[in-house]
Amino acid sequence: MGTEKQSILIIYTGGTIGMREDPMTRTLSPMNFEMLQVEIPELYKLGFNIESVTFNPPIDSANMTPAIWIELASTIKSNYSKYDGFVILHGTDTMAYTASALSYMLENLDKPVIMTGSQLPIGILRTDGKENIITAIQIAAAQKNGKAIVPEVCIYFSSHLFRGNRTTKEDSQQFAAFMSHHYPKLAVAGVDIKYNYEKINYTGSKGILSINTSIDDNVIVLKIFPGINRRYFEAILSLPGLKGIILESYGSGNMPTFPWIFEAIREATLSGVVFMNVSQCPGGRVKMGYYETSRELQEAGVVSGKDITVEAAVTKMMFLLGQQLSVSEVKAYLSQNLSGEIEN
Ligand code: ASP
Protein backbone atom coordinates (compact mmCIF):
# COMPACT_ATOMS: atom_id res chain seq x y z
CA MET A 1 0.00 0.00 0.00
CA GLY A 2 1.17 3.55 -0.67
CA THR A 3 1.30 6.05 2.16
CA GLU A 4 -1.36 8.39 0.75
CA LYS A 5 -5.00 7.88 1.48
CA GLN A 6 -6.57 6.06 -1.46
CA SER A 7 -9.75 7.39 -3.02
CA ILE A 8 -12.47 4.96 -4.00
CA LEU A 9 -15.67 5.60 -5.88
CA ILE A 10 -18.57 3.27 -5.07
CA ILE A 11 -21.08 3.03 -7.89
CA TYR A 12 -24.33 1.67 -6.60
CA THR A 13 -26.58 0.13 -9.25
CA GLY A 14 -28.87 -1.89 -6.95
CA GLY A 15 -29.11 -5.65 -6.30
CA THR A 16 -29.94 -7.65 -3.18
CA ILE A 17 -27.14 -5.96 -1.19
CA GLY A 18 -29.21 -2.79 -1.03
CA MET A 19 -32.67 -4.30 -0.89
CA ARG A 20 -35.21 -4.34 1.84
CA GLU A 21 -38.29 -6.40 2.38
CA ASP A 22 -41.69 -4.87 1.96
CA PRO A 23 -43.55 -5.86 5.16
CA MET A 24 -46.82 -6.21 3.28
CA THR A 25 -45.86 -8.14 0.16
CA ARG A 26 -42.64 -9.72 1.60
CA THR A 27 -40.86 -9.08 -1.70
CA LEU A 28 -37.39 -7.54 -1.95
CA SER A 29 -36.81 -4.24 -3.79
CA PRO A 30 -33.80 -1.87 -3.90
CA MET A 31 -33.36 1.04 -1.43
CA ASN A 32 -31.21 4.13 -1.94
CA PHE A 33 -27.51 4.39 -1.10
CA GLU A 34 -27.98 6.71 1.91
CA MET A 35 -30.03 4.02 3.64
CA LEU A 36 -27.49 1.39 2.67
CA GLN A 37 -24.62 3.45 4.14
CA VAL A 38 -26.39 3.63 7.49
CA GLU A 39 -26.15 -0.17 7.62
CA ILE A 40 -22.35 -0.18 7.07
CA PRO A 41 -20.72 2.31 9.45
CA GLU A 42 -17.51 0.22 9.02
CA LEU A 43 -16.95 1.96 5.67
CA TYR A 44 -15.60 4.98 7.51
CA LYS A 45 -13.14 2.94 9.53
CA LEU A 46 -11.31 1.80 6.42
CA GLY A 47 -9.28 4.99 6.26
CA PHE A 48 -9.91 5.68 2.56
CA ASN A 49 -11.63 8.59 0.89
CA ILE A 50 -14.86 6.93 -0.12
CA GLU A 51 -17.41 8.66 -2.30
CA SER A 52 -20.42 7.25 -4.03
CA VAL A 53 -22.79 7.69 -6.93
CA THR A 54 -26.17 6.02 -7.10
CA PHE A 55 -27.82 5.01 -10.32
CA ASN A 56 -31.33 6.26 -10.45
CA PRO A 57 -33.35 4.18 -9.79
CA PRO A 58 -31.32 1.35 -8.22
CA ILE A 59 -32.44 -1.84 -9.94
CA ASP A 60 -32.73 -5.56 -9.52
CA SER A 61 -30.02 -6.65 -11.95
CA ALA A 62 -32.54 -8.83 -13.78
CA ASN A 63 -33.46 -5.48 -15.36
CA MET A 64 -29.89 -4.77 -16.52
CA THR A 65 -29.51 -3.35 -20.05
CA PRO A 66 -26.64 -2.35 -22.36
CA ALA A 67 -27.69 1.28 -21.78
CA ILE A 68 -26.73 0.85 -18.11
CA TRP A 69 -23.38 -0.74 -19.08
CA ILE A 70 -22.73 2.40 -21.10
CA GLU A 71 -23.72 4.57 -18.13
CA LEU A 72 -21.30 2.58 -15.95
CA ALA A 73 -18.43 2.92 -18.44
CA SER A 74 -19.11 6.65 -18.79
CA THR A 75 -19.23 7.11 -15.00
CA ILE A 76 -15.85 5.40 -14.65
CA LYS A 77 -14.39 7.46 -17.49
CA SER A 78 -15.59 10.81 -16.13
CA ASN A 79 -14.29 10.01 -12.63
CA TYR A 80 -11.16 8.14 -13.67
CA SER A 81 -8.52 10.67 -12.72
CA LYS A 82 -10.11 11.42 -9.32
CA TYR A 83 -10.08 7.89 -7.88
CA ASP A 84 -7.60 5.07 -7.38
CA GLY A 85 -10.22 2.38 -7.79
CA PHE A 86 -13.89 1.70 -8.37
CA VAL A 87 -16.33 -0.61 -6.62
CA ILE A 88 -19.59 -1.41 -8.39
CA LEU A 89 -22.44 -2.70 -6.25
CA HIS A 90 -24.60 -4.84 -8.49
CA GLY A 91 -27.13 -7.65 -8.27
CA THR A 92 -25.67 -11.11 -8.64
CA ASP A 93 -28.06 -12.31 -11.35
CA THR A 94 -26.37 -10.46 -14.22
CA MET A 95 -23.11 -9.39 -12.58
CA ALA A 96 -21.04 -11.67 -14.84
CA TYR A 97 -22.62 -10.11 -17.95
CA THR A 98 -21.89 -6.56 -16.79
CA ALA A 99 -18.34 -7.49 -15.78
CA SER A 100 -17.76 -9.05 -19.21
CA ALA A 101 -19.24 -6.09 -21.08
CA LEU A 102 -17.13 -3.61 -19.09
CA SER A 103 -13.98 -5.65 -19.70
CA TYR A 104 -14.39 -4.96 -23.43
CA MET A 105 -15.69 -1.40 -23.13
CA LEU A 106 -12.94 -0.04 -20.82
CA GLU A 107 -9.82 0.16 -22.95
CA ASN A 108 -6.39 0.79 -21.38
CA LEU A 109 -7.71 0.18 -17.90
CA ASP A 110 -5.00 0.52 -15.27
CA LYS A 111 -7.14 0.85 -12.14
CA PRO A 112 -9.26 -1.75 -10.34
CA VAL A 113 -12.97 -2.03 -11.13
CA ILE A 114 -14.27 -4.46 -8.52
CA MET A 115 -17.86 -5.62 -8.71
CA THR A 116 -19.64 -7.09 -5.73
CA GLY A 117 -23.06 -7.58 -4.16
CA SER A 118 -24.57 -10.09 -1.79
CA GLN A 119 -26.97 -12.96 -1.35
CA LEU A 120 -28.62 -11.46 1.74
CA PRO A 121 -29.55 -7.77 2.02
CA ILE A 122 -27.20 -5.59 4.06
CA GLY A 123 -29.89 -4.93 6.70
CA ILE A 124 -30.15 -8.61 7.61
CA LEU A 125 -28.01 -9.77 10.52
CA ARG A 126 -26.38 -12.69 8.67
CA THR A 127 -25.68 -10.65 5.57
CA ASP A 128 -22.71 -11.56 3.43
CA GLY A 129 -22.79 -8.03 2.03
CA LYS A 130 -20.57 -6.38 4.65
CA GLU A 131 -17.55 -8.60 4.11
CA ASN A 132 -18.04 -8.45 0.36
CA ILE A 133 -18.16 -4.67 0.18
CA ILE A 134 -15.38 -4.02 2.71
CA THR A 135 -12.94 -6.44 1.05
CA ALA A 136 -13.92 -5.21 -2.42
CA ILE A 137 -12.96 -1.69 -1.33
CA GLN A 138 -9.66 -2.93 0.09
CA ILE A 139 -8.86 -4.70 -3.17
CA ALA A 140 -9.85 -1.62 -5.19
CA ALA A 141 -7.46 0.43 -3.06
CA ALA A 142 -4.59 -2.07 -2.95
CA GLN A 143 -1.34 -0.82 -4.48
CA LYS A 144 2.22 -2.02 -4.78
CA ASN A 145 5.00 0.41 -5.70
CA GLY A 146 2.38 3.06 -6.36
CA LYS A 147 0.50 0.90 -8.90
CA ALA A 148 -2.83 -0.89 -8.58
CA ILE A 149 -2.41 -4.55 -7.70
CA VAL A 150 -5.47 -5.62 -9.70
CA PRO A 151 -5.97 -3.30 -12.70
CA GLU A 152 -8.83 -5.38 -14.10
CA VAL A 153 -12.61 -5.67 -14.08
CA CYS A 154 -13.21 -8.29 -11.38
CA ILE A 155 -15.92 -9.85 -9.29
CA TYR A 156 -15.19 -10.17 -5.59
CA PHE A 157 -17.55 -12.52 -3.78
CA SER A 158 -17.38 -14.73 -0.70
CA SER A 159 -13.60 -14.48 -0.13
CA HIS A 160 -12.66 -14.93 -3.79
CA LEU A 161 -11.58 -12.49 -6.46
CA PHE A 162 -12.31 -13.59 -10.02
CA ARG A 163 -11.56 -12.09 -13.41
CA GLY A 164 -15.00 -10.70 -14.30
CA ASN A 165 -15.21 -12.07 -17.84
CA ARG A 166 -14.31 -15.59 -16.62
CA THR A 167 -17.05 -15.69 -14.01
CA THR A 168 -20.47 -17.34 -13.90
CA LYS A 169 -23.18 -17.21 -11.26
CA GLU A 170 -23.50 -20.79 -10.10
CA ASP A 171 -25.56 -20.72 -6.94
CA SER A 172 -28.54 -18.68 -5.84
CA GLN A 173 -28.56 -20.02 -2.26
CA GLN A 174 -24.97 -20.32 -1.06
CA PHE A 175 -22.86 -17.29 -0.19
CA ALA A 176 -20.26 -18.57 -2.68
CA ALA A 177 -22.43 -17.61 -5.65
CA PHE A 178 -19.75 -17.34 -8.33
CA MET A 179 -17.30 -19.65 -10.01
CA SER A 180 -14.60 -19.34 -12.61
CA HIS A 181 -14.13 -22.71 -14.29
CA HIS A 182 -11.40 -21.79 -16.71
CA TYR A 183 -9.24 -19.28 -14.95
CA PRO A 184 -7.65 -19.31 -11.49
CA LYS A 185 -8.79 -16.94 -8.77
CA LEU A 186 -6.96 -13.61 -8.80
CA ALA A 187 -6.98 -13.44 -5.00
CA VAL A 188 -8.24 -15.26 -1.95
CA ALA A 189 -9.20 -13.26 1.14
CA GLY A 190 -8.48 -15.09 4.36
CA VAL A 191 -6.65 -13.55 7.28
CA ASP A 192 -4.64 -11.75 4.58
CA ILE A 193 -5.62 -11.03 1.02
CA LYS A 194 -3.33 -13.26 -1.04
CA TYR A 195 -2.96 -12.07 -4.62
CA ASN A 196 -2.22 -14.44 -7.48
CA TYR A 197 0.16 -11.96 -9.15
CA GLU A 198 1.07 -14.27 -12.03
CA LYS A 199 -2.52 -14.51 -13.16
CA ILE A 200 -3.39 -10.81 -12.95
CA ASN A 201 -3.32 -8.99 -16.26
CA TYR A 202 -0.79 -6.14 -16.21
CA THR A 203 -0.77 -5.67 -19.98
CA GLY A 204 -4.14 -3.92 -20.21
CA SER A 205 -2.92 -0.33 -20.17
CA LYS A 206 -1.30 1.09 -23.25
CA GLY A 207 -2.29 4.71 -22.74
CA ILE A 208 -5.15 6.81 -21.45
CA LEU A 209 -8.40 5.07 -20.50
CA SER A 210 -10.90 5.23 -23.31
CA ILE A 211 -14.37 3.82 -23.40
CA ASN A 212 -15.84 2.08 -26.36
CA THR A 213 -19.59 2.15 -25.94
CA SER A 214 -20.81 0.91 -29.32
CA ILE A 215 -22.96 -2.12 -28.65
CA ASP A 216 -25.24 -3.94 -31.08
CA ASP A 217 -27.95 -6.00 -29.43
CA ASN A 218 -29.04 -7.88 -32.57
CA VAL A 219 -27.80 -11.02 -30.90
CA ILE A 220 -29.39 -14.17 -29.52
CA VAL A 221 -28.31 -17.20 -27.47
CA LEU A 222 -29.72 -20.45 -28.82
CA LYS A 223 -29.42 -23.54 -26.66
CA ILE A 224 -29.39 -26.90 -28.44
CA PHE A 225 -31.33 -29.75 -26.86
CA PRO A 226 -32.59 -33.16 -27.98
CA GLY A 227 -35.93 -32.65 -29.69
CA ILE A 228 -35.21 -29.11 -30.83
CA ASN A 229 -38.00 -28.19 -33.21
CA ARG A 230 -36.98 -27.62 -36.81
CA ARG A 231 -39.60 -24.93 -37.48
CA TYR A 232 -38.53 -22.84 -34.48
CA PHE A 233 -34.85 -23.33 -35.20
CA GLU A 234 -35.24 -22.20 -38.81
CA ALA A 235 -37.51 -19.31 -37.82
CA ILE A 236 -34.95 -17.97 -35.33
CA LEU A 237 -32.06 -18.23 -37.76
CA SER A 238 -33.95 -16.30 -40.41
CA LEU A 239 -35.17 -13.47 -38.15
CA PRO A 240 -34.75 -10.15 -39.98
CA GLY A 241 -31.99 -8.00 -38.50
CA LEU A 242 -30.40 -10.77 -36.47
CA LYS A 243 -26.61 -10.46 -36.75
CA GLY A 244 -25.07 -12.76 -34.16
CA ILE A 245 -26.01 -16.16 -32.68
CA ILE A 246 -24.35 -17.86 -29.75
CA LEU A 247 -24.99 -21.57 -30.26
CA GLU A 248 -24.93 -23.34 -26.90
CA SER A 249 -23.81 -26.76 -28.01
CA TYR A 250 -23.07 -30.02 -26.20
CA GLY A 251 -19.77 -31.07 -24.65
CA SER A 252 -16.78 -30.06 -26.73
CA GLY A 253 -18.93 -28.12 -29.20
CA ASN A 254 -21.16 -30.83 -30.67
CA MET A 255 -24.53 -30.43 -32.39
CA PRO A 256 -26.93 -32.91 -34.00
CA THR A 257 -25.82 -33.74 -37.54
CA PHE A 258 -29.34 -33.37 -38.98
CA PRO A 259 -29.00 -31.90 -42.46
CA TRP A 260 -31.65 -29.23 -41.80
CA ILE A 261 -29.56 -27.80 -38.94
CA PHE A 262 -26.50 -27.29 -41.13
CA GLU A 263 -28.64 -26.06 -44.01
CA ALA A 264 -30.17 -23.37 -41.78
CA ILE A 265 -26.75 -22.39 -40.40
CA ARG A 266 -25.21 -22.25 -43.89
CA GLU A 267 -28.04 -20.10 -45.20
CA ALA A 268 -27.86 -17.68 -42.26
CA THR A 269 -24.07 -17.50 -42.63
CA LEU A 270 -24.45 -16.64 -46.31
CA SER A 271 -26.74 -13.78 -45.37
CA GLY A 272 -24.09 -12.41 -42.96
CA VAL A 273 -25.13 -13.84 -39.59
CA VAL A 274 -22.14 -14.62 -37.34
CA PHE A 275 -22.23 -17.79 -35.20
CA MET A 276 -20.13 -18.60 -32.17
CA ASN A 277 -20.09 -22.10 -30.70
CA VAL A 278 -20.10 -22.12 -26.88
CA SER A 279 -20.39 -25.26 -24.79
CA GLN A 280 -23.21 -25.97 -22.34
CA CYS A 281 -20.56 -27.64 -20.16
CA PRO A 282 -19.16 -25.28 -17.53
CA GLY A 283 -15.79 -27.08 -17.70
CA GLY A 284 -13.76 -28.13 -20.76
CA ARG A 285 -13.64 -26.22 -24.02
CA VAL A 286 -15.04 -26.23 -27.54
CA LYS A 287 -12.85 -28.24 -29.90
CA MET A 288 -14.34 -27.82 -33.33
CA GLY A 289 -13.71 -30.76 -35.61
CA TYR A 290 -12.85 -33.12 -32.76
CA TYR A 291 -16.06 -35.06 -33.39
CA GLU A 292 -17.90 -35.37 -36.67
CA THR A 293 -20.78 -33.56 -34.95
CA SER A 294 -18.85 -30.29 -34.93
CA ARG A 295 -16.78 -30.63 -38.10
CA GLU A 296 -19.59 -29.37 -40.33
CA LEU A 297 -20.07 -26.36 -38.07
CA GLN A 298 -16.45 -25.48 -38.64
CA GLU A 299 -16.92 -25.84 -42.38
CA ALA A 300 -19.98 -23.59 -42.25
CA GLY A 301 -17.81 -20.84 -40.72
CA VAL A 302 -19.03 -21.08 -37.11
CA VAL A 303 -16.43 -19.55 -34.77
CA SER A 304 -15.18 -21.65 -31.87
CA GLY A 305 -15.87 -20.02 -28.50
CA LYS A 306 -13.00 -22.08 -27.01
CA ASP A 307 -13.30 -21.84 -23.21
CA ILE A 308 -15.49 -18.71 -23.11
CA THR A 309 -18.47 -18.37 -20.76
CA VAL A 310 -21.89 -17.63 -22.26
CA GLU A 311 -21.85 -14.28 -20.45
CA ALA A 312 -18.53 -13.28 -21.97
CA ALA A 313 -19.61 -14.64 -25.37
CA VAL A 314 -22.88 -12.75 -25.73
CA THR A 315 -21.32 -9.46 -24.61
CA LYS A 316 -18.30 -10.00 -26.88
CA MET A 317 -20.63 -10.59 -29.83
CA MET A 318 -22.63 -7.41 -28.99
CA PHE A 319 -19.42 -5.43 -28.59
CA LEU A 320 -17.79 -6.57 -31.84
CA LEU A 321 -20.97 -6.20 -33.89
CA GLY A 322 -21.12 -2.62 -32.63
CA GLN A 323 -17.67 -1.76 -34.06
CA GLN A 324 -18.40 -1.19 -37.79
CA LEU A 325 -16.33 -4.22 -38.76
CA SER A 326 -16.81 -6.55 -41.70
CA VAL A 327 -18.26 -10.00 -41.00
CA SER A 328 -14.84 -11.61 -41.46
CA GLU A 329 -13.27 -9.09 -39.06
CA VAL A 330 -15.95 -9.79 -36.44
CA LYS A 331 -15.21 -13.52 -36.79
CA ALA A 332 -11.48 -12.95 -36.54
CA TYR A 333 -11.82 -10.87 -33.36
CA LEU A 334 -14.32 -13.33 -31.86
CA SER A 335 -11.69 -16.03 -31.93
CA GLN A 336 -9.02 -13.76 -30.42
CA ASN A 337 -8.49 -12.94 -26.79
CA LEU A 338 -9.63 -9.32 -26.26
CA SER A 339 -9.38 -8.89 -22.51
CA GLY A 340 -8.55 -12.18 -20.88
CA GLU A 341 -11.90 -13.86 -21.64
CA ILE A 342 -10.43 -16.87 -23.49
CA GLU A 343 -7.25 -18.81 -23.64
CA ASN A 344 -6.05 -18.63 -27.24
N1 ASP B 1 -32.21 -10.46 -8.19
C1 ASP B 1 -31.05 -9.92 -7.51
C2 ASP B 1 -30.28 -9.08 -8.52
O1 ASP B 1 -29.59 -9.60 -9.34
C3 ASP B 1 -30.22 -11.02 -6.96
C4 ASP B 1 -28.98 -10.59 -6.21
O2 ASP B 1 -28.58 -9.45 -6.18
O3 ASP B 1 -28.36 -11.47 -5.60
O4 ASP B 1 -30.37 -7.88 -8.47
Side-chain angles (χ1 to χ4, degrees):
M1 287 252 173
T3 44
E4 276 177 34
K5 222 175 171 188
Q6 267 82 12
S7 294
I8 302 298
L9 183 66
I10 297 179
I11 306 171
Y12 172 55
T13 68
T16 296
I17 193 161
M19 291 193 188
R20 107 185 119 185
E21 197 180 69
D22 183 311
M24 299 291 284
T25 61
R26 314 231 41 181
T27 53
L28 291 171
S29 57
M31 60 184 173
N32 62 34
F33 191 75
E34 284 67 43
M35 292 172 78
L36 191 136
Q37 263 176 314
V38 172
E39 302 286 349
I40 343 173
E42 294 91 341
L43 285 188
Y44 303 98
K45 293 190 191 159
L46 282 167
F48 304 129
N49 291 319
I50 297 176
E51 289 175 30
S52 65
V53 287
T54 299
F55 277 23
N56 196 8
I59 57 162
D60 186 307
S61 80
N63 293 323
M64 188 48 61
T65 60
I68 304 178
W69 298 338
I70 294 172
E71 201 182 334
L72 274 167
S74 309
T75 305
I76 291 171
K77 170 75 181 161
S78 56
N79 288 285
Y80 201 66
S81 59
K82 287 185 261 163
Y83 298 93
D84 299 295
F86 300 84
V87 171
I88 301 177
L89 301 182
H90 193 291
T92 57
D93 287 346
T94 60
M95 197 185 291
Y97 290 89
T98 301
S100 301
L102 288 179
S103 76
Y104 309 126
M105 292 164 86
L106 300 172
E107 294 174 350
N108 297 322
L109 184 70
D110 65 358
K111 294 184 180 179
V113 174
I114 312 296
M115 302 188 66
T116 197
S118 69
Q119 295 282 56
L120 279 177
I122 205 90
I124 289 186
L125 218 49
R126 288 184 57 249
T127 185
D128 51 329
K130 282 195 185 187
E131 194 282 324
N132 284 348
I133 187 170
I134 288 167
T135 309
I137 292 171
Q138 286 183 317
I139 293 170
Q143 296 189 348
K144 205 175 174 184
N145 304 325
K147 292 230 150 56
I149 295 185
V150 196
E152 292 201 37
V153 180
C154 297
I155 290 181
Y156 175 76
F157 219 87
S158 190
S159 305
H160 295 130
L161 183 72
F162 304 100
R163 174 169 296 160
N165 59 26
R166 291 292 199 149
T167 310
T168 298
K169 180 173 177 182
E170 286 241 315
D171 205 309
S172 58
Q173 289 290 309
Q174 304 300 317
F175 285 155
F178 290 92
M179 183 53 85
S180 167
H181 288 279
H182 295 108
Y183 202 75
K185 293 165 188 124
L186 300 186
V188 177
V191 173
D192 298 310
I193 302 174
K194 295 255 186 252
Y195 293 97
N196 191 354
Y197 289 97
E198 274 168 28
K199 295 296 172 188
I200 296 170
N201 185 3
Y202 292 105
T203 60
S205 176
K206 293 172 200 79
I208 300 163
L209 177 87
S210 61
I211 55 168
N212 187 331
T213 55
S214 306
I215 296 277
D216 189 329
D217 65 0
N218 287 298
V219 165
I220 201 157
V221 179
L222 182 49
K223 187 166 190 154
I224 305 302
F225 55 93
I228 190 163
N229 182 296
R230 176 176 180 171
R231 265 191 316 128
Y232 300 152
F233 187 83
E234 289 174 347
I236 291 170
L237 266 59
S238 56
L239 280 172
L242 185 58
K243 295 185 188 157
I245 302 182
I246 309 296
L247 284 174
E248 260 199 85
S249 60
Y250 306 127
S252 48
N254 307 312
M255 298 253 297
T257 51
F258 311 143
W260 56 266
I261 290 206
F262 291 107
E263 230 8 81
I265 293 177
R266 237 175 255 126
E267 251 175 57
T269 308
L270 286 176
S271 66
V273 176
V274 178
F275 288 84
M276 176 151 58
N277 185 0
V278 176
S279 177
Q280 293 172 20
C281 279
R285 58 186 281 137
V286 167
K287 283 167 98 177
M288 302 260 289
Y290 186 61
Y291 289 99
E292 195 199 344
T293 42
S294 66
R295 189 177 47 79
E296 284 193 60
L297 291 175
Q298 200 172 18
E299 282 164 15
V302 174
V303 177
S304 169
K306 300 176 182 168
D307 60 352
I308 202 164
T309 62
V310 173
E311 295 88 334
V314 68
T315 49
K316 187 173 184 176
M317 185 72 97
M318 285 182 177
F319 177 76
L320 289 174
L321 290 171
Q323 306 304 313
Q324 314 292 329
L325 301 166
S326 67
V327 166
S328 57
E329 285 169 326
V330 170
K331 287 186 180 178
Y333 282 117
L334 276 176
S335 61
Q336 284 173 29
N337 174 23
L338 298 184
S339 52
E341 75 284 1
I342 53 169
E343 194 183 319
N344 266 330

